[in-house]
Amino acid sequence: MASVEELMTNGYEARRDDRLEDARQCFAQAVALSRVSPHTQKDLARSLNGLAQIERDEGRNEHAQRCYEEASALLRQIDEPLRLAHTIRHLADVLRHRDDTAAAEASYAEALALYRSNPDTPPLDLANLLRGYALLKTNMGQRSEAASLWSEAGALYKGCGIEAGAAESRRQIEMLSA
């Protein structure tokens, strides 16, 4: 029988190869195995995050939301602030796509606070959060807040050498300024 780690490795490999059903099976098995002792909450949270990614890839945002919510609850119980922030950011993205504006806004704000309080936050992770939050603020008609988020995201993308992100940020700011 494969270990949780092997199942997750196989799941991510299948996802990279666009074999989403194989990936789903690997992550679902990892989740099931992680629920059994002696596996940790961290194993289960990581497995749920992997499964949630596949659910999002296939447009099953309701399923992804449940996985991210369970993973977030587990991560709140252990000392994994960056993994928690990452999970909440993805949950916020799912909530935004599901038009659950209030819950998405609360999730983005929480993830942003976690990222800002941690000096080890990868700039690209922060940029990606700011992008999603800016899209939400734009949808809410909060143009000034959205422009500010886009500006910060753009600077971070530029610093990371992600020209596509920097260019998108510039375009969004131009549209908000028009």
Side-chain angles (χ1 to χ4, degrees), residues 42-56:
K42 183 178 177 179
D43 290 333
L44 180 54
R46 289 175 55 231
S47 299
L48 286 163
N49 272 322
L51 183 57
Q53 287 176 339
I54 301 305
E55 297 293 356
R56 281 184 70 194

Side-chain angles (χ1 to χ4, degrees), residues 127-174:
N128 288 336
L129 174 129
L130 293 167
R131 178 190 181 275
Y133 205 0
L135 289 169
L136 179 71
K137 292 291 189 176
T138 299
N139 292 343
M140 294 170 67
Q142 297 178 4
R143 298 168 71 88
S144 175
E145 293 91 340
S148 178
L149 292 166
W150 278 117
S151 179
E152 185 178 356
L156 289 166
Y157 282 129
K158 184 176 181 179
C160 293
I162 310 293
E163 182 50 38
E168 178 188 22
S169 297
R170 288 189 301 273
R171 284 191 309 274
Q172 291 288 338
I173 290 169
E174 287 173 12

Side-chain angles (χ1 to χ4, degrees), residues 8-177:
M8 290 187 55
T9 298
N10 293 342
Y12 283 118
E13 181 179 305
R15 183 175 186 245
R16 275 190 304 277
D17 294 342
D18 202 31
R19 294 180 290 116
L20 297 182
E21 188 51 42
D22 291 344
R24 178 194 325 289
Q25 289 177 12
C26 288
F27 287 116
Q29 289 174 13
V31 167
L33 187 57
S34 295
R35 292 190 190 282
V36 182
S37 262
H39 295 283
T40 65
Q41 290 177 318
K42 183 178 177 179
D43 290 333
L44 180 54
R46 289 175 55 231
S47 299
L48 286 163
N49 272 322
L51 183 57
Q53 287 176 339
I54 301 305
E55 297 293 356
R56 281 184 70 194
D57 289 346
E58 295 200 329
R60 289 193 288 274
N61 286 325
E62 184 177 336
H63 295 223
Q65 179 180 337
R66 285 195 299 267
C67 290
Y68 285 133
E69 287 171 343
E70 184 178 355
S72 296
L74 292 166
L75 291 167
R76 289 179 198 290
Q77 299 172 28
I78 58 179
D79 189 26
E80 292 279 339
L82 288 177
R83 191 177 304 269
L84 175 60
H86 188 78
T87 300
I88 293 170
R89 172 175 66 88
H90 284 292
L91 173 60
D93 289 339
V94 167
L95 292 165
R96 178 173 46 85
H97 286 288
R98 297 193 71 208
D99 295 321
D100 190 343
T101 302
E105 184 172 29
S107 294
Y108 280 125
E110 181 182 4
L112 183 59
L114 287 166
Y115 277 147
R116 290 207 191 282
S117 70
N118 193 315
D120 296 326
T121 295
L124 185 55
D125 285 354
L126 180 56
N128 288 336
L129 174 129
L130 293 167
R131 178 190 181 275
Y133 205 0
L135 289 169
L136 179 71
K137 292 291 189 176
T138 299
N139 292 343
M140 294 170 67
Q142 297 178 4
R143 298 168 71 88
S144 175
E145 293 91 340
S148 178
L149 292 166
W150 278 117
S151 179
E152 185 178 356
L156 289 166
Y157 282 129
K158 184 176 181 179
C160 293
I162 310 293
E163 182 50 38
E168 178 188 22
S169 297
R170 288 189 301 273
R171 284 191 309 274
Q172 291 288 338
I173 290 169
E174 287 173 12
M175 286 188 332
L176 290 165
S177 299

